Amino acid sequence: MEEDVDFRIRFSSLCFITDHVGFRGTIKSSPSDFVVIEIDEQGQLVNKAIDDPVYKISKVQPEPNNFAKKTKLDLQNLSFEERSNQEVSTLAGCSDDDQNHQSRSEKEDTVKDRASKGEEGKVDIISSLLDERTNELLNQFAGDVKEKWSSKTELIGPSPEFSLGRILDKNQRAILHSAIRQKFPFLVTVGKNSEIFVKPNLEYKELCHLVSEEEAFDFFKYLDAKKENSRFTFKPDTNKDHRKAVHHFVNKKFGNLVETKSFPGLNYNASNPNVVITVRFREKVHKHRKRSLVECPEGKVIHTAFTLRKENLEMFEAVGFLAIKLGVIPSDFSYAGLKDKKAITYQAMVVRKVTPERLKNIEKEIEKKRMKVFNIHSVEDSLRLGQLKGNHFDIVIRNLKNQINDSANLKERILEAIENVKSKGFVNYYGPQRFGMGRKVHTDQIGLALLKSEMVKAVKLFLTPEDLDNPVNRAKKYFLQTEDAKGTLSLMPELKVRERALLESLHRFGVTEEGCIQAWFSLPHSMRIFYVHAYSSKIWNEAVSYRLATYGSRVVEGDLVCLDEDVDDEHFPNSKVHLVTEEEESANSYAIHQVVLPVLGYNIQYPKNKVGQWYQEILSRDGLQTYRFKVPTLKLNVPGCYRQILKHPHNLSYQLMEEQNTDVKTEGSHIHEAALSLLISFDLDASCYATICLREIMKHDF
């Protein structure tokens, strides 16, 4: 395999904390030489069978709190006005934030009484909550807006608005917001200090330029009702460019709420290419779990947990393949952490909307892709990144040799190196797999472009080919030359799920800034944030090298230290981070293993010494001095965290093995040394890298 020179240069600049000589050797000669097993939060290896006595797992699911809940009516069989009497927790366009809740008025009680009795016909909610004069003025305002639009007279000056007055009861305001938008979809309502204002819905007017007013009217009513699992379909359309414009409008304005797809219409054929656009609500990602369990048990999303074993397969490729086989999308999968590609890895995963039986049915199909699923069982919720204790590693290092110009006994060198790292630890760098193994483009470069909202640049970096002649790189090269997303799709291999998802969106929305934003949304949130984290990780690696080169192992004034001795991950609050004082430096109050450095984000503090100045210079160098590590257009928020600069391996054991390797060229008495291999096993905390620990042991960059 050709050596990645650029990558070696990047990692050879990293420093060491120990002073032994080390040795040379080869890791990852085959995937079976590098086995990674996730350790769950209970401290158990995830490759143990659930029914294995060693694997202790609670079969008891957490019970929801027995809090009081309001009686729910049958929403399916009520008219809209009757449904409006139910408590509304989220309404588009409603921005009331009052804290004071007053008792309901007699008017609302009257409305509720009517609804509960199931009166025939629709209850006039608006008339029940507004006085006669205000209701009359509201209808007049609505008529004036429609008349202006019908006459194609442009509204001059600021958008007109009409006040309904102050409505003190929050529940009444919520009902009124929704009722007005259902009766007048061409209007929007805005709340401010208990007062409701009504304005023209300019998005409604914009949609009327693309579809009939009847369709626009029904679409906005559908949008406001937010009926779960419901769909809205526009009229059949034979004009592809026109359909594309409708797709673009809906996704640009409401892409965070709904998604659109095209389907062949009735009697579709070459002479009658009718296609319909269907809109459906996106599934809510952050549902209040306990509330949904108590109030909507029938609507609960299925979650199936399993252990995934994969061999020589990239994590995202494995997830993409599973998604295709199960008929879901990659974002339906959740996991605690990413795992190496050239390895055999075991990790816990959860998939939404798939039953255990369905997952078991694809076991044989996925074996062809060197994957296996087991420990399949139902759970209540998804996994989150970082939801693990760490990882266990079983690694074989082959072809052991002394460092160049070192004539000492090899076995003694190996023993010295292992014992040194056991006692002193290793510099806790992010490993090379965090940045991708590409020569031309690394993931941190994509992350920097995303942080600066350079969406087109980020897409083109993502699709930049390497200097290898294969179908993937030929497809990428074609895209950069032509920006022809459709043509690139025909060249891109089916199993390249990420690339194809991005290209399909680019084909749909165009290679524009807005189109590229939509393209990034075709990838799961965990994948989008991965690129931003890669940039933050690269800066952290540079920061720790600068810190150790500047101050060595001394803890100095202005350093940040973690006050909690039991921290085993990066997610601890600012309250546990302490700024070292001059007096504490003089008294040697802290040790080097307590020092932490910030991983970039909007909620971290910087050291108050030369290292803090270095951070500011780097942010300025990369053009981020005015950025806040939030990318609202991609729903990316990066609060940042703190990472210990040193870590130790746990439960480390090793064994030297002599191999009969006839291919090894030997000279004189070194025949046994040349044939030595090392089997080494250890545990690392979450977000630590075995290759970095091995680098410290061997004093060798891979």
Side-chain angles (χ1 to χ4, degrees):
M1 180 178 174
E2 187 180 343
E3 186 176 52
D4 188 345
V5 177
D6 174 62
F7 211 86
R8 285 182 58 84
I9 290 171
R10 292 183 74 180
F11 275 81
S12 63
S13 63
L14 306 185
C15 58
F16 299 100
I17 196 66
T18 52
D19 56 5
H20 59 266
V21 175
F23 54 93
R24 293 180 294 155
T26 305
I27 67 167
K28 298 189 177 182
S29 296
S30 70
S32 59
D33 280 355
F34 203 95
V35 178
V36 187
I37 307 170
E38 199 168 83
I39 305 171
D40 66 19
E41 289 183 307
Q42 288 72 44
Q44 302 297 332
L45 299 174
V46 301
N47 66 331
K48 297 286 185 184
I50 287 179
D51 56 0
D52 189 324
V54 178
Y55 194 101
K56 297 177 181 176
I57 184 167
S58 173
K59 297 284 185 181
V60 181
Q61 299 293 348
E63 293 184 4
N65 292 338
N66 294 318
F67 54 80
K69 61 185 177 74
K70 300 190 186 306
T71 305
K72 302 291 285 184
L73 299 180
D74 181 3
L75 302 186
Q76 300 291 331
N77 298 319
L78 294 181
S79 66
F80 164 72
E81 284 81 0
E82 292 170 325
R83 292 203 311 273
S84 295
N85 286 294
Q86 310 313 310
E87 187 173 335
V88 180
S89 59
T90 56
L91 288 168
C94 177
S95 57
D96 286 315
D97 56 359
D98 300 330
Q99 297 293 321
N100 299 321
H101 298 266
Q102 298 190 5
S103 60
R104 290 186 173 92
S105 68
E106 291 182 3
K107 285 185 179 180
E108 187 193 5
D109 290 334
T110 304
V111 173
K112 283 187 172 285
D113 288 341
R114 290 176 186 171
S116 62
K117 291 174 184 177
E119 281 188 353
E120 292 185 4
K122 296 185 177 180
V123 181
D124 190 347
I125 295 291
I126 299 175
S127 297
S128 300
L129 294 177
L130 297 178
D131 61 66
E132 186 176 347
R133 177 61 179 160
T134 305
N135 191 22
E136 182 181 322
L137 290 172
L138 171 63
N139 282 282
Q140 183 179 331
F141 177 80
D144 289 345
V145 169
K146 287 298 292 292
E147 186 179 345
K148 287 278 187 186
W149 285 353
S150 298
S151 65
K152 295 184 168 48
T153 304
E154 290 299 323
L155 297 172
I156 300 173
S159 180
E161 62 181 37
F162 170 67
S163 172
L164 302 179
R166 296 189 71 203
I167 307 223
L168 297 179
D169 187 273
K170 186 174 183 179
N171 293 293
Q172 287 187 11
R173 288 199 304 274
I175 292 167
L176 194 54
H177 274 295
S178 191
I180 290 173
R181 290 196 304 273
Q182 282 288 316
K183 184 174 181 181
F184 307 112
F186 50 89
L187 301 178
V188 291
T189 58
V190 180
K192 185 177 181 182
N193 298 327
S194 302
E195 187 174 3
I196 296 179
F197 294 90
V198 183
K199 301 179 179 182
N201 184 347
L202 300 181
E203 291 169 343
Y204 179 97
K205 183 182 180 184
E206 190 176 342
L207 183 59
C208 285
H209 292 313
L210 295 171
V211 300
S212 68
E213 186 172 351
E214 178 189 359
E215 288 175 281
F217 189 93
D218 290 341
F219 172 73
F220 276 92
K221 285 189 71 171
Y222 160 81
L223 207 60
D224 181 71
K226 291 191 178 68
K227 188 175 177 183
E228 195 171 357
N229 298 322
S230 63
R231 295 169 186 261
F232 177 84
T233 302
F234 288 99
K235 291 178 181 178
D237 188 350
T238 59
N239 188 320
K240 184 176 180 180
D241 290 336
H242 181 258
R243 293 196 306 270
K244 190 172 181 180
V246 175
H247 277 297
H248 181 74
F249 171 84
V250 175
N251 283 282
K252 179 181 178 181
K253 301 293 185 182
F254 314 106
N256 61 334
L257 187 65
V258 298
E259 58 186 355
T260 62
K261 286 190 177 180
S262 292
F263 296 98
L266 290 173
N267 304 318
Y268 176 90
N269 54 51
S271 59
N272 182 34
N274 271 335
V275 175
V276 295
I277 296 174
T278 297
V279 184
R280 69 173 184 178
F281 286 102
R282 295 184 184 277
E283 289 209 34
K284 294 178 183 176
V285 179
H286 302 294
K287 290 183 179 177
H288 191 307
R289 186 165 63 87
K290 288 185 177 178
R291 184 182 181 92
S292 64
L293 283 173
V294 174
E295 296 189 359
C296 307
E298 72 285 350
K300 191 169 58 174
V301 176
I302 296 168
H303 290 80
T304 296
F306 61 98
T307 296
L308 171 68
R309 179 195 188 274
K310 63 179 181 67
E311 179 178 341
N312 200 27
L313 200 60
E314 189 190 43
M315 172 75 178
F316 293 132
E317 188 178 345
V319 168
F321 186 79
L322 288 171
I324 290 170
K325 292 299 177 185
L326 292 168
V328 294
I329 57 178
S331 56
D332 286 321
F333 290 84
S334 58
Y335 37 83
L338 302 177
K339 298 291 179 276
D340 300 69
K341 177 185 177 182
K342 193 172 182 181
I344 294 175
T345 67
Y346 297 83
Q347 66 188 114
M349 299 195 81
V350 173
V351 59
R352 301 166 66 249
K353 300 181 285 188
V354 173
T355 63
E357 293 71 26
R358 175 79 184 96
L359 185 57
K360 287 173 184 173
N361 286 340
I362 68 163
E363 284 179 328
K364 286 209 164 116
E365 289 182 75
I366 65 174
E367 283 178 7
K368 301 170 189 173
K369 284 289 290 181
R370 304 176 303 282
M371 285 191 287
K372 181 181 178 184
V373 291
F374 57 100
N375 287 342
I376 301 170
H377 60 288
S378 295
V379 291
E380 291 293 325
D381 216 338
S382 299
L383 283 168
R384 67 179 188 278
L385 285 172
Q387 195 176 341
L388 74 166
K389 190 174 181 64
N391 292 285
H392 172 79
F393 298 88
D394 292 316
I395 299 168
V396 179
I397 307 173
R398 302 189 185 276
N399 306 321
L400 299 177
K401 296 183 179 71
N402 287 77
Q403 299 283 22
I404 297 171
N405 298 325
D406 177 31
S407 59
N409 182 280
L410 178 58
K411 291 183 180 179
E412 290 178 3
R413 284 295 193 216
I414 294 169
L415 177 63
E416 172 196 37
I418 292 173
E419 293 302 323
N420 214 1
V421 172
K422 276 176 71 173
S423 61
K424 295 182 180 178
F426 58 94
V427 185
N428 190 25
Y429 289 116
Y430 288 99
Q433 54 268 54
R434 185 82 166 193
F435 310 102
M437 297 302 290
R439 293 173 179 77
K440 284 193 172 180
V441 176
H442 296 288
T443 52
D444 58 272
Q445 294 170 268
I446 299 172
L448 176 58
L450 291 176
L451 277 173
K452 296 167 76 172
S453 294
E454 297 172 348
M455 300 302 170
V456 177
K457 179 180 179 180
V459 164
K460 290 186 175 180
L461 284 170
F462 181 86
L463 292 172
T464 296
E466 297 294 338
D467 292 326
L468 296 171
D469 187 23
N470 59 38
V472 174
N473 286 304
R474 285 196 292 271
K476 288 181 175 181
K477 185 176 180 181
Y478 175 79
F479 176 80
L480 290 190
Q481 291 172 340
T482 65
E483 293 190 1
D484 174 12
K486 184 177 181 181
T488 309
L489 263 174
S490 66
L491 299 172
M492 187 64 70
E494 288 288 335
L495 287 177
K496 285 296 174 181
V497 178
R498 282 179 296 170
E499 288 81 356
R500 291 188 63 83
L502 208 74
L503 288 165
E504 283 170 0
S505 287
L506 292 174
H507 171 51
R508 189 167 170 182
F509 300 110
V511 189
T512 62
E513 199 72 18
E514 182 63 36
C516 288
I517 290 172
Q518 295 298 331
W520 282 112
F521 269 112
S522 70
L523 303 184
H525 179 271
S526 59
M527 207 174 292
R528 300 197 300 274
I529 201 74
F530 167 78
Y531 292 106
V532 175
H533 285 165
Y535 171 75
S536 299
S537 302
K538 177 206 170 204
I539 300 305
W540 192 92
N541 277 4
E542 294 176 3
V544 73
S545 290
Y546 178 82
R547 163 63 182 77
L548 292 172
T550 304
Y551 298 118
S553 296
R554 294 182 301 122
V555 181
V556 301
E557 180 185 0
D559 270 338
L560 299 174
V561 293
C562 177
L563 299 177
D564 190 341
E565 292 288 334
D566 298 323
V567 167
D568 58 4
D569 64 19
E570 302 175 351
H571 303 286
F572 46 90
N574 277 314
S575 60
K576 290 189 177 180
V577 176
H578 171 70
L579 197 66
V580 176
T581 65
E582 183 180 1
E583 294 76 18
E584 288 168 335
E585 177 188 351
S586 300
N588 292 321
S589 301
Y590 299 102
I592 187 65
H593 72 271
Q594 293 175 280
V595 174
V596 298
L597 284 177
V599 180
L600 292 175
Y602 60 78
N603 192 32
I604 48 100
Q605 58 176 316
Y606 293 99
K608 295 290 179 67
N609 51 29
K610 290 181 180 179
V611 181
Q613 295 170 15
W614 179 92
Y615 269 101
Q616 299 309 317
E617 289 168 6
I618 290 299
L619 290 175
S620 179
R621 177 198 75 183
D622 290 344
L624 288 176
Q625 61 271 35
T626 59
Y627 288 80
R628 296 193 60 238
F629 288 89
K630 293 183 179 182
V631 189
T633 51
L634 293 184
K635 296 189 176 180
L636 298 179
N637 291 316
V638 189
C641 58
Y642 300 93
R643 183 175 175 90
Q644 291 169 299
I645 68 174
L646 296 185
K647 279 288 189 178
H648 288 77
H650 313 296
N651 304 319
L652 190 151
S653 63
Y654 64 96
Q655 178 184 353
L656 282 167
M657 303 177 294
E658 291 188 5
E659 296 183 308
Q660 299 301 318
N661 190 344
T662 56
D663 293 331
V664 175
K665 295 181 180 179
T666 61
E667 294 179 9
S669 62
H670 288 279
I671 182 169
H672 295 297
E673 293 182 1
L676 273 181
S677 291
L678 174 67
L679 171 59
I680 185 167
S681 299
F682 51 82
D683 299 342
L684 292 178
D685 293 335
S687 195
C688 292
Y689 292 81
T691 47
I692 295 299
C693 180
L694 293 177
R695 175 185 177 275
E696 188 84 43
I697 291 172
M698 299 171 67
K699 291 289 191 291
H700 176 62
D701 287 299
F702 302 107

